[in-house]
Amino acid sequence: MMHLIVLPVVLPAILAPFIIMAIRHHMDLQRIFSLAGTVALVAITLTLLAQAATGDIQVYELGNWPAPFGIVLVLDRLSALMIALTALLGLAVLLYVIGTDWDLKGRHFHPLFQFQLMGVMGAFLTGDAFNLFVFFEVLLIASYGLMIHGGGARRLRAGVQYVVYNLLGSTLFLFALGTLYAVTGTLNMADLAERVAVLPADETALIRVGAVLLLVVFAIKAAVLPLHFWLPASYANAPMPVAALFAIMTKVGAYSILRMYTLVFGPDVGSTDGLVGDWLLPAALLTLGAGTLGILGARKIGKLVAFSAIASMGTLLIAISLFTEQATGAAIYYIIHSTFATGMMFLVADLIVSRRGGIIAPGTPMAQNGLIASLFFAGAIALSGMPPLSGFIGKLLVMDGARDADQWALIWGVILIASLVTVVGFARAGSLIFWKGYEAEPPDEGTQETHPAPTSALPFVAVFGLLAGLILLSVFAGPVHDYARATAGQLFDPQEYIGAVLRGGK
Amino acid sequence: MSLFLIASLPFLGAIFPALLIRAGRNASAASAGMVTLTALIGLLTNAPAVLRGEVVVARIDWMPGLGLNANFFLDGLGLLFAGLILGIGLLIILYARFYLSRKDPMGQFYTYLLLFQGAMVGIVLSDNILLLLIFWELTSLSSFLLIGFWKHLPEGRQGARMALLVTGSGGLAMIGGMLIIGNIVGSYDLTVILQHKELIQASPLYLPALLLILAGCFTKSAQFPFHFWLPHAMAAPTPVSAYLHSATMVKAGLFLMARMWPVLAGTDAWFYIVATTGLVTMVLGAVIALFKDDLKALLAYSTVSQLGLITMLLGFGTKAAATAAVFHIINHATFKCALFMSAGIIDHSAHTRDIKRLGGLIHLMPLTFTIVLVAALSMAGIPPFNGFLSKEMMLEETLSAVWQGSPYLVAALAVFGALFSVAYSFRYIGHVFLGKRRSDYPGEPHDPGPGLWLAPVFLTFLVVVIGLFPNAVVGPLVQVASGAVIGDGQPVVFYAKLWHGFIPALYMSVVAVVGGFVLLLMQRRLAPLWDAAPRPEAKVIFDALVGGFTSLSRRLSEALHDGALSRYAAIFMVFTLALAAYAYGTGAKGAPNREMLDLTIMPVIGWICLTGATVCVVAFHRNRFLALVLIGVVGLIIALAFNYLSAPDLALTQISVEVVTIILLLLALNFMPKNTPQESSTGRKLRDATLSIGAGLGAGGLIYALMGREFSQPSISEFHLENSYSGGGGTNVVNVILVDFRGFDTFGEIIVLGIAAIVIFAITEAVLASNVRGRLLNREPDMAQAGNPHPLMMVVATRVMMPIALMVAAYIFFRGHNAPGGGFIAGLIAAIAVVMQYMASGYEWAADRQRVYYHGIIGSGVLIAALTGMGSWFAGLPFLTSSFGYITIWPLEKFEWATAALFDLGVFLAVLGAVMLALESLARFAWQPGMDSEHPMEINPARDDADNHEKQEA
């Protein structure tokens, strides 16, 4: 079915207004529709993933206008992977939210959630630079709504910072697009790629400005130092399940960098030579550093996980910034890992926060202490890149991908030391939260259940689902890595993409 | 049994104890035991082949792309270690069943233990160094859980974290080393790597790789200066100490050194680093051990010392030394494990491990005494026990080691260390068991039941048997294991005997034993001196380092993320400007190739107004109301500019957006202080001014540069101009772009509007549900209120204007496709028409007359747009494909129909609903009870007339 590719955008875009219009006063109906829609999204995106895995690039011309004049959606290996990842994470988060009644704590959770999915999906699928901007706006405004879901002074204040900082980015996005359009006369990414490649020599200054401004925009989304400032407070103060969903949002930035700087401003493009990797690599290393420092110094669980999200982005961007096929393969594997791991850890953090509050300090053992402790342990293993979960494999892949780089020793050193500091930070937090509470009274069956245990099993289903994702990612690391390498191969051979969009589009 | 199964059995079986604990502690322990036993039997089925000199292999491709594969191989060394791990594991499981108390969660314990066991087996069977790294780190993690098993003990937690940090950091260093080795050789498979000695040792990266790998080995095997974690790990339950910290985990480092021996050993660097570290560790550990009063601490430091001994032997790099090392690994495992178990037994019944509070236990615990006697004598190197054999081999090897030209230095230090180990071994026997029976034991010392003594007795039995018949019992095993260590394919000759004749090693042994005995006699007098001597306390340094680093990173992190948005934005600005300037400066730019327009009077006036208004905004920004008005001026001039430059659609949009925005901002301003407080210092103002001028110049310069040049290639807008009428059915290209060419963008943007509105609604609900509502209800207006909030003139005017405004909206909507206008502008105009009613008669009055909810309008707008787009699917065309045609309905003229109009209707509704919902939400903040009257206007002559009329009638 040729329309399948547009469904990840259209389905939530119908579902959300329907919920607003017809069933906004019926939480049970909202849950049913929202969940059914998300399950359908999982099925659709997995089908698309299977289609893309063959190596074909599908192009969908909206409004039946040929590229580059109309807008196109493009499904290649990378975008198929990203939308499938979005749907899977979305399903886990939604199950968690329903199980913990988070959706009752404010208005319009489900429509905003669906709009958020729509924005992310659209950003991954679109083949048009201006349309990418539109979807950035959709996901920004929806994420702002989700972020302040439930209200509270601290959350609202953090929300203002979030939205203001990201609006700065949006403004810059317009500047970048204006520059690119004024120089090249087009907005379609494939067309941009063709035109930039043959750009007259005296146009490079402006196209370079456009390219670098665009990179700044994406770097904000990807939380690259020194443009990451919006992240820690907003993620830490957002509802934790929403922060879990945001694990895919930073990936939108990473994805966009990967897409634009392999397709349009690729490493072989002369006019934008030396613009990207040269500063992105040090910035990524610093991002990893800042993230790990934050992990070690965190006083609250929310901050702890938020900073580990930053650290994880740092590692990912190290791999991306090398712009080699091998490192990109590693990056793509790492994207999957980082999304599941960060999402899972935020959910675990919510399990803890809802039982004993968010401060990293000893307290009385909470309900389901042991179970949550093991989940925290697993999440910490994943995020700090220890075996046997996929973080370790991802880390090895990134290091292996960096071995031909000039700064390999620096990269390895930073990654390994960061790993160590992360381990220390999580060990400290975990032992304070889960162990130290036993100091006053040795474990004694019966008196442990000081807080009433929440009854729903759904939250745990969600967390275990994500953990299962991490485990499968390790067990089937071979096939997944093959897919990632094939994806990188596709990215570094942009002629295929360009040909599909501009010449083979039907 | 397949190697895969052997390695994975403990992992797979780890679930059973945790589950079966509900069926009782015996079931739990038995399941753990069965799993281990099965794996051990599986291992033994492979033993004959290995002892014949074969290498059993099993390979699965896991990640061939990375070179990480699940390849296992079993050679002599692997057999030795796997046998130790599984065999001793079995004894530990038995021992722990009776050691742990009823309060301890035994299921968890066995689960952790099996996980650890699996990781260890994995290390020793791995044929892939990346796989080995995985198992290596797993041992660190599982030992973290085991050391911290007693959650309520602070020492346990701290010890666990220290062990994790030290061994984990070594493991991470090793990752680096292993990857370097893999890069040099081009393969991560051990069997391949082991064949490339010359290649590796000739590489310039040999030394870094060696250092990194040794960092892993030394931390794991508690070599100086990383030895300090091991004594603190003794906070773990004794079975853990016996298993991890004597028999298995701490030997992982030794294993790896032995494993990599064929390619790494034999260089000067290897000798000086490994042998020296081993020697220092051996001496230092032995000396400290003598002065420890805690039994487990004594054993811990003795383990450190013995591990140093083995490291030193491996460091010598000779075949004989390697063989001795292998032999001592076996011997140390047997006697040290037995000693730890006996320490646990003493602790269990006497309730103390403090040597000063013990003594004379021989009368109460004869069986335990026998165990300790045999094992400790073996540790001291007294014949006929097995420790004697390997220790003598060691002493003999030291004689041939030359350190920086001094031939006897190593030997002398080795004897010195041996002397102390004799002393502490004797001390365990003498100060704990001998002497007078005391009356003040904290507990009641007694021999334990068979559950606790069976395992140590079996081990001491091995100590004796190996001592007496070394060649028959372990000879073949040592031979294949040493063969694997040396790895040159030559058969290894191992022949141990108790009596070699009067050789130097014997004299050294005698010196050590006699000297050790004398030393023990002096121990009580030396102890105060030792305690008084200043020495670095590793834990204090470690804690200070970790604590310091933690608080440093906290300070750094919190200083960096201090929550000041202005600073974040400043950094963003500087960074963006710098990057853009760099990018511009490094590129080439041609001269402007577009003709400049002539300067006429209109743009000049506009420019003056625009800059003037902007300067005024800066000057008067503290007065928020005035600033708002000035911003309105800016917006209007921009609208005029659009119009002047022939963009009527943009001008219309800009004007209507301007009106709606200003109304919304005015509403918001109602709740805010009317003046901006003065908060910035002069320095900050200067910074901000510089930044904003920089940003303005940057943006302006960029736009100027862009406008000065033509497109480098033909723009896509040519296509839009050409196809607007023929393909889109409209002559207004802007509108056709919005609803057709790029309808998908518009679809996204109306969704953005809709989301914004429902987010505003959600915030309103959240705020009004909090205690803010009370403050709002009780607020005092900070400005004089209008005496007549709903004036007659305004009410009447807006009522009259409403149908006209709506007509205009309809007109703008329908002409949109061919002339300036369209759904977006029409939606804004309609919204303004409704807003006027709110303004004229108040929120409550208007809300009472509201029949359709704005949520529904937004939803229907987006839905109509989406459904219009989906309609094209039925024609087999992509989403949002438009269709149009011309019909004539009598008596009207021919007119056009287009699906795009339906899409535009969606846009219209979404815009209308979004604006109204936002406005209504903001208006709800202002609501106070009794604020609005039931009448549309305060003063109504007609009503007054009617009232007067009634009064008159009355």
Side-chain angles (χ1 to χ4, degrees):
Chain A
M1 185 177 151
M2 66 172 279
H3 302 298
L4 201 59
I5 172 176
V6 76
L7 275 184
V9 179
V10 171
L11 180 65
I14 301 176
L15 209 50
F18 170 73
I19 294 175
I20 296 174
M21 197 166 83
I23 52 176
R24 66 177 180 278
H25 298 302
H26 305 276
M27 185 48 85
D28 46 350
L29 285 178
Q30 289 188 40
R31 286 177 172 181
I32 290 169
F33 275 91
S34 192
L35 195 59
T38 313
V39 169
L41 274 184
V42 170
I44 292 166
T45 51
L46 288 181
T47 314
L48 288 171
L49 183 63
Q51 290 176 3
T54 60
D56 292 342
I57 295 181
Q58 289 184 47
V59 178
Y60 189 83
E61 296 179 335
L62 287 150
N64 210 20
W65 293 107
F69 310 108
I71 296 169
V72 289
L73 299 185
V74 187
L75 183 84
D76 65 348
R77 286 201 177 96
L78 181 60
S79 49
L81 176 70
M82 298 309 296
I83 55 171
L85 210 52
T86 309
L88 289 171
L89 180 71
L91 182 61
V93 169
L94 190 62
L95 285 175
Y96 186 92
V97 165
I98 293 175
T100 48
D101 287 343
W102 256 106
D103 49 357
L104 291 171
K105 294 185 186 167
R107 300 298 293 267
H108 297 322
F109 181 88
H110 292 288
L112 289 172
F113 182 83
Q114 292 297 332
F115 276 137
Q116 170 83 72
L117 289 184
M118 175 216 161
V120 176
M121 297 275 184
F124 288 142
L125 282 171
T126 187
D128 186 282
F130 187 82
N131 197 232
L132 183 65
F133 166 77
V134 172
F135 281 112
F136 264 51
E137 293 307 290
V138 173
L139 63 86
L140 168 63
I141 193 82
S143 65
Y144 173 62
L146 287 174
M147 205 217 116
I148 55 170
H149 178 75
R154 190 175 294 157
R155 191 171 288 160
L156 288 174
R157 198 176 304 132
V160 169
Q161 292 209 348
Y162 172 76
V163 83
V164 168
Y165 202 94
N166 276 284
L167 283 176
L168 285 177
S170 297
T171 315
L172 202 62
F173 204 158
L174 281 181
F175 273 95
L177 288 176
T179 310
L180 294 183
Y181 181 74
V183 176
T184 62
T186 192
L187 288 168
N188 178 287
M189 295 182 197
D191 199 28
L192 266 175
E194 283 210 321
R195 294 182 179 207
V196 168
V198 296
L199 206 65
D202 59 352
E203 296 281 358
T204 53
L206 289 173
I207 202 79
R208 285 170 75 83
V209 172
V212 97
L213 292 185
L214 206 55
L215 190 63
V216 170
V217 175
F218 299 150
I220 291 177
K221 274 277 178 293
V224 179
L225 212 75
L227 306 167
H228 71 292
F229 288 105
W230 58 273
L231 193 143
S234 54
Y235 277 34
N237 288 310
M240 293 286 115
V242 169
L245 182 68
F246 286 2
I248 197 74
M249 295 254 298
T250 43
K251 306 301 181 298
V252 176
Y255 162 86
S256 307
I257 294 176
L258 259 184
R259 175 67 79 204
M260 291 301 278
Y261 296 88
T262 56
L263 178 63
V264 182
F265 310 110
D268 302 329
V269 175
S271 52
T272 50
D273 191 36
L275 265 191
V276 186
D278 286 358
W279 75 267
L280 194 58
L281 176 62
L285 291 170
L286 287 175
T287 309
L288 179 54
T292 23
L293 284 188
I295 293 173
L296 191 59
R299 293 174 200 268
K300 289 189 168 184
I301 302 169
K303 276 274 168 65
L304 178 81
V305 191
F307 276 111
S308 51
I310 292 182
S312 178
M313 287 312 290
T315 312
L316 172 58
L317 282 153
I318 289 172
I320 289 179
S321 67
L322 296 169
F323 287 106
T324 63
E325 199 173 318
Q326 197 194 3
T328 303
I332 290 163
Y333 182 92
Y334 200 85
I335 284 180
I336 312 175
H337 156 76
S338 163
T339 307
F340 284 152
T342 314
M344 175 189 163
M345 204 53 169
F346 270 116
L347 294 186
V348 174
D350 187 65
L351 289 176
I352 299 167
V353 172
S354 63
R355 283 167 175 78
R356 64 184 289 287
I359 296 179
I360 300 176
T364 50
M366 60 190 140
Q368 293 151 315
N369 198 38
L371 183 59
I372 296 172
S374 1
L375 287 171
F376 182 87
F377 190 63
I381 286 175
L383 280 174
S384 50
M386 297 289 272
L389 293 177
S390 46
F392 184 73
I393 297 171
K395 188 170 72 184
L396 282 185
L397 277 172
V398 173
M399 290 172 67
D400 190 59
R403 71 180 179 197
D404 295 327
D406 297 334
Q407 311 88 338
W408 66 271
L410 177 70
I411 295 174
W412 286 15
V414 171
I415 291 181
L416 290 175
I417 292 170
S419 246
L420 177 68
V421 179
T422 312
V423 169
V424 175
F426 274 112
R428 179 184 147 268
S431 75
L432 279 176
I433 295 170
F434 296 105
W435 285 355
K436 203 164 184 191
Y438 286 105
E439 196 166 324
E441 34 177 330
D444 189 17
E445 306 299 325
T447 59
Q448 243 185 61
E449 307 275 313
T450 46
H451 300 275
T455 45
S456 175
L458 221 45
F460 288 97
V461 171
V463 179
F464 274 108
L466 289 176
L467 180 59
L470 290 172
I471 293 171
L472 290 177
L473 194 57
S474 322
V475 173
F476 297 106
V480 176
H481 185 223
D482 287 343
Y483 184 91
R485 282 194 299 168
T487 310
Q490 215 174 35
L491 286 176
F492 280 82
D493 182 17
Q495 286 314 317
E496 205 187 332
Y497 183 101
I498 296 170
V501 173
L502 294 182
R503 283 172 281 277
K506 293 285 167 178
Chain B
M1 191 191 279
S2 156
L3 297 183
F4 294 123
L5 203 54
I6 298 172
S8 54
L9 254 178
F11 291 113
L12 299 175
I15 188 72
F16 291 115
L19 291 177
L20 288 176
I21 188 67
R22 304 199 173 183
R25 299 195 295 161
N26 285 331
S28 180
S31 66
M34 284 311 294
V35 169
T36 310
L37 187 64
T38 316
L40 182 60
I41 292 171
L43 182 75
L44 292 179
T45 56
N46 287 308
V50 175
L51 290 177
R52 277 196 305 273
E54 295 167 25
V55 175
V56 184
V57 291
R59 315 171 65 87
I60 295 183
D61 278 355
W62 182 9
M63 279 188 82
L66 175 63
L68 163 60
N69 290 317
N71 296 343
F72 292 99
F73 79 128
L74 181 69
D75 63 352
L77 188 64
L79 179 68
L80 166 66
F81 270 90
L84 278 179
I85 293 158
L86 292 170
I88 293 184
L90 206 55
L91 298 177
I92 294 290
I93 289 169
L94 169 70
Y95 179 83
R97 161 65 188 84
F98 297 94
Y99 181 83
L100 293 180
S101 79
R102 202 170 281 279
K103 274 188 177 175
D104 295 319
M106 187 179 276
Q108 266 178 36
F109 180 83
Y110 281 124
T111 297
Y112 297 162
L113 200 73
L114 284 181
L115 288 178
F116 168 77
Q117 192 181 64
M120 278 308 296
V121 173
I123 289 182
V124 301
L125 296 186
S126 292
D127 184 15
N128 183 292
I129 49 176
L130 298 182
L131 185 68
L132 189 147
L133 288 172
I134 290 184
F135 290 120
W136 187 275
E137 296 288 41
L138 276 181
T139 59
S140 299
L141 290 172
S142 48
S143 71
F144 171 75
L145 294 173
L146 282 168
I147 298 170
F149 179 70
W150 278 329
K151 308 180 190 47
H152 53 281
L153 295 180
E155 304 85 42
R157 292 195 307 269
Q158 288 155 10
R161 274 159 62 182
M162 187 191 278
L164 181 67
L165 175 55
V166 177
T167 62
S169 61
L172 289 167
M174 210 170 81
I175 293 177
M178 288 297 194
L179 285 180
I180 293 176
I181 295 276
N183 279 349
I184 296 173
V185 177
S187 166
Y188 290 123
D189 278 351
L190 251 176
T191 32
V192 178
I193 290 171
L194 290 182
Q195 287 159 6
H196 287 89
K197 175 174 177 168
E198 290 78 19
L199 187 64
I200 291 172
Q201 299 197 348
S203 163
L205 291 175
Y206 166 72
L207 194 62
L210 178 70
L211 286 173
L212 289 171
I213 292 177
L214 286 179
C217 298
F218 286 171
T219 49
K220 202 78 161 179
S221 285
Q223 296 299 295
F224 178 83
F226 308 114
H227 62 287
F228 56 90
W229 68 267
L230 186 59
H232 291 286
M234 292 299 143
T238 303
V240 174
S241 313
Y243 193 35
L244 273 65
H245 306 130
S246 74
T248 57
M249 189 176 83
V250 290
K251 297 226 169 79
L254 303 179
F255 167 81
L256 197 70
M257 284 189 269
R259 183 95 278 176
M260 304 295 283
W261 197 89
V263 288
L264 295 181
T267 61
D268 277 354
W270 171 272
F271 172 77
Y272 282 111
I273 299 171
V274 180
T276 312
T277 308
L279 185 62
V280 171
T281 312
M282 177 176 105
V283 174
L284 203 73
V287 173
I288 300 175
L290 181 61
F291 297 102
K292 285 289 168 188
D293 291 330
D294 179 2
L295 267 185
K296 278 178 81 174
L298 183 154
L299 290 175
Y301 278 105
S302 97
T303 305
V304 169
S305 164
Q306 302 272 345
L307 293 170
L309 186 162
I310 301 169
T311 303
M312 179 182 74
L313 284 173
L314 289 169
F316 287 160
T318 63
K319 291 184 187 183
T323 312
V326 169
F327 187 38
H328 195 68
I329 286 172
I330 302 176
N331 298 337
H332 177 249
T334 51
F335 65 69
K336 185 55 64 64
C337 193
L339 284 173
F340 265 114
M341 288 179 173
S342 62
I345 291 172
I346 294 167
D347 189 15
H348 216 247
S349 63
H351 293 175
T352 182
R353 301 192 308 245
D354 190 346
I355 296 176
K356 286 189 170 154
R357 304 188 63 181
L358 295 168
L361 289 182
I362 185 170
H363 309 289
L364 298 164
M365 307 174 76
L367 180 64
T368 315
F369 170 68
T370 318
I371 296 168
V372 169
L373 183 67
V374 173
L377 288 179
S378 177
M379 179 157 77
I382 307 291
F385 305 113
N386 59 0
F388 168 74
L389 296 171
S390 44
K391 185 170 261 182
E392 226 180 28
M393 286 176 156
M394 179 272 288
L395 291 172
E396 199 167 321
E397 289 306 316
T398 56
L399 284 171
S400 47
V402 181
W403 202 92
Q404 287 284 0
S406 30
Y408 292 112
L409 180 69
V410 177
L413 281 171
V415 172
F416 182 71
L419 194 140
F420 273 86
S421 52
V422 169
Y424 67 65
S425 303
F426 285 172
R427 181 161 183 239
Y428 193 171
I429 304 169
H431 290 185
V432 176
F433 287 95
L434 304 182
K436 273 193 296 236
R437 183 176 162 175
R438 300 167 60 149
S439 54
D440 59 346
Y441 303 118
E444 292 171 9
H446 56 87
D447 267 331
L452 282 180
W453 61 249
L454 263 176
V457 162
F458 177 75
L459 288 167
T460 36
F461 170 73
L462 286 181
V463 167
V464 177
V465 173
I466 296 174
L468 293 176
F469 315 105
N471 305 312
V473 180
V474 293
L477 185 60
V478 174
Q479 280 180 16
V480 288
S482 331
V485 174
I486 295 157
D488 59 356
Q490 309 286 327
V492 176
V493 184
F494 169 77
Y495 191 73
K497 53 184 179 184
L498 287 168
W499 180 248
H500 288 269
F502 292 100
I503 53 169
L506 183 68
Y507 299 126
M508 290 159 80
S509 261
V510 171
V511 170
V513 172
V514 175
F517 189 70
V518 175
L519 192 62
L520 177 63
L521 295 178
M522 294 156 61
Q523 194 269 346
R524 291 196 196 211
R525 252 165 295 160
L526 288 176
L529 292 176
W530 171 263
D531 289 339
R535 60 181 178 275
E537 189 58 54
K539 184 169 184 338
V540 177
I541 299 171
F542 177 87
D543 285 349
L545 272 179
V546 173
F549 189 57
T550 304
S551 62
L552 177 73
S553 52
R554 173 170 294 168
R555 274 210 302 279
L556 267 177
S557 181
E558 287 178 354
L560 198 61
H561 308 96
D562 63 351
L565 183 59
S566 61
R567 203 179 52 122
Y568 296 171
I571 294 173
F572 163 83
M573 251 356 153
V574 172
F575 189 67
T576 309
L577 277 176
L579 269 187
Y582 167 77
Y584 188 81
T586 48
K589 186 181 169 301
N593 56 5
R594 227 184 210 180
E595 229 178 287
M596 297 288 262
L597 295 176
D598 290 332
L599 196 62
T600 54
I601 185 69
M602 284 305 286
V604 172
I605 294 173
W607 187 84
I608 289 171
C609 292
L610 192 66
T611 43
T614 313
V615 170
C616 288
V617 171
V618 175
F620 303 116
H621 75 280
R622 294 204 186 283
N623 183 341
R624 287 174 169 162
F625 186 76
L626 191 56
L628 201 55
V629 173
L630 289 165
I631 290 171
V633 173
V634 172
L636 277 177
I637 293 172
I638 289 173
L640 287 175
F642 283 142
N643 204 37
Y644 181 78
L645 296 168
S646 321
D649 275 283
L650 290 185
L652 270 176
T653 314
Q654 174 69 30
I655 288 181
S656 34
V657 166
E658 198 64 35
V659 171
V660 171
T661 330
I662 295 289
I663 292 175
L664 286 178
L665 282 173
L666 276 173
L667 261 177
L669 197 58
N670 193 15
F671 312 105
M672 293 167 72
K674 300 297 173 285
N675 292 299
T676 310
Q678 209 152 359
E679 284 171 328
S680 302
S681 60
T682 318
R684 177 164 293 183
K685 276 185 196 157
L686 208 63
R687 177 198 79 176
D688 292 349
T690 318
L691 275 178
S692 51
I693 290 171
L697 287 178
L702 177 65
I703 291 163
Y704 187 78
L706 290 176
M707 288 192 301
R709 285 180 68 80
E710 296 289 347
F711 291 112
S712 69
Q713 284 130 319
S715 155
I716 54 169
S717 56
E718 307 295 330
F719 177 90
H720 294 150
L721 288 169
E722 279 162 24
N723 289 279
S724 173
Y725 187 68
S726 58
T731 50
N732 178 5
V733 188
V734 174
N735 183 265
V736 177
I737 289 179
L738 282 178
V739 297
D740 200 340
F741 291 120
R742 301 192 66 95
F744 199 53
D745 280 342
T746 311
F747 183 57
E749 288 298 353
I750 60 171
I751 285 178
V752 171
L753 259 181
I755 300 172
I758 65 169
V759 168
I760 293 174
F761 175 79
I763 297 178
T764 309
E765 291 275 306
V767 171
L768 290 183
S770 70
N771 55 5
V772 176
R773 187 184 184 85
R775 292 218 301 276
L776 282 172
L777 288 178
N778 295 317
R779 76 181 188 281
E780 292 293 326
D782 58 352
M783 286 171 89
Q785 299 288 291
N788 180 1
H790 305 304
L792 170 77
M793 289 300 284
M794 184 162 172
V795 173
V796 173
T798 54
R799 295 288 188 280
V800 174
M801 274 171 71
M802 180 153 181
I804 300 172
L806 290 179
M807 273 306 291
V808 172
Y811 173 69
I812 292 276
F813 177 81
F814 282 115
R815 77 199 287 260
H817 219 42
N818 294 310
F824 191 87
I825 304 168
L828 287 173
I829 294 174
I832 293 169
V834 183
V835 168
M836 286 193 302
Q837 311 310 313
Y838 276 86
M839 289 166 71
S841 299
Y843 168 76
E844 208 167 338
W845 183 87
D848 278 350
R849 281 149 189 81
Q850 187 186 355
R851 294 291 170 269
V852 191
Y853 291 97
Y854 300 127
H855 278 96
I857 297 180
I858 299 174
S860 63
V862 177
L863 267 184
I864 287 174
L867 292 174
T868 310
M870 288 160 71
S872 48
W873 289 351
F874 296 103
L877 293 167
F879 189 65
L880 284 176
T881 306
S882 69
S883 167
F884 64 93
Y886 299 91
I887 50 168
T888 314
I889 303 172
W890 187 89
L892 301 175
E893 280 186 55
K894 179 184 98 164
F895 72 95
E896 182 190 358
W897 61 268
T899 56
L902 207 54
F903 180 79
D904 222 9
L905 177 66
V907 174
F908 170 84
L909 290 174
V911 171
L912 173 65
V915 171
M916 291 314 302
L917 185 60
L919 196 112
E920 185 202 50
S921 302
L922 285 175
R924 284 170 60 200
F925 284 106
W927 184 82
Q928 281 175 315
M931 199 171 89
D932 287 340
S933 69
E934 55 184 309
H935 304 294
M937 51 197 125
E938 308 294 293
I939 301 163
N940 185 343
R943 191 169 65 222
D944 292 345
D945 288 350
D947 287 352
N948 291 339
H949 195 66
E950 273 175 31
K951 274 180 199 159
Q952 280 173 9
E953 284 193 355

